Amino acid sequence: MVVTRAYLVQNGFISLFFQKSVLEDTAEWLALHGYRVISLDAAEWEELEQMHVDIASALEFPAYYGGSLDALNDCLSEVAVGSYGWSVAADTGLVLVLRGYAEFSVVDPVGAHRLLDVFARQASYAALFGHRLMCLVHSSDPKLSVPPVGGTTVMWNYLEAADSARQTRGL
């Protein structure tokens, strides 16, 4: 899987995953190399408010967090510069793993897309400071297509880029 890791961010800071084993291996490798890996189950989000609660808790947003997409953008900009959510001194980078994304994108397609868009923009912003933010998105739908985020098309990870590589269920 060295190839996957080498190409992990070649197409942007957000990568799609279908096979759970590929996602788990990638997240485990990143954790072993000093990344703070935060995993959230987006399939449990029945409304946008639940997404905000989970992300705010996981990334240690301040108590004044407004629970809106604009507030998410503001707080993620603070995460990008290392104000909270992770330690830029101790961690190689921050990885947000979103499991069950396809299910949430059915519940709230606009909110699901905006989440990735905001994250992609803030990951680019973080790179200006030498900080690494990535989002690994698991989908049970092998044909999931995400509109461009942060000005970049969201791509399948290198090992699953070909449609034929996603022919089996995401085990």
Side-chain angles (χ1 to χ4, degrees), residues 18-162:
F18 173 66
Q19 295 179 48
K20 289 180 182 176
S21 61
V22 175
L23 174 68
E24 296 302 329
D25 181 65
T26 302
E28 182 179 312
W29 186 90
L30 289 164
L32 287 171
H33 286 83
Y35 285 82
R36 179 171 182 213
V37 177
I38 297 171
S39 183
L40 299 174
D41 188 354
E44 293 180 357
W45 300 337
E46 295 178 7
E47 57 189 19
L48 199 57
E49 183 178 315
Q50 290 173 300
M51 177 203 74
H52 288 291
V53 169
D54 281 359
I55 290 176
S57 175
L59 294 176
E60 304 163 355
F61 284 2
Y64 60 80
Y65 174 62
S68 69
L69 291 167
D70 288 336
L72 177 68
N73 184 60
D74 291 345
C75 284
L76 279 177
S77 71
E78 293 298 319
V79 171
V81 298
S83 296
Y84 44 79
W86 63 303
S87 169
V88 295
D91 300 321
T92 303
L94 174 68
V95 179
L96 181 63
V97 177
L98 298 177
R99 301 172 194 289
Y101 177 82
E103 290 84 345
F104 179 58
S105 70
V106 170
V107 171
D108 189 338
V110 172
H113 179 257
R114 285 284 313 274
L115 167 62
L116 296 185
D117 187 57
V118 167
F119 193 92
R121 290 179 190 282
Q122 294 307 331
S124 293
Y125 180 60
L128 292 173
F129 301 94
H131 301 159
R132 300 173 183 165
L133 299 182
M134 287 180 263
C135 186
L136 310 182
V137 180
H138 178 259
S139 173
S140 57
D141 177 0
K143 300 207 181 285
L144 178 71
S145 178
V146 177
V149 295
T152 304
T153 301
V154 176
M155 307 289 288
W156 287 95
N157 71 84
Y158 183 80
L159 286 179
E160 297 179 312

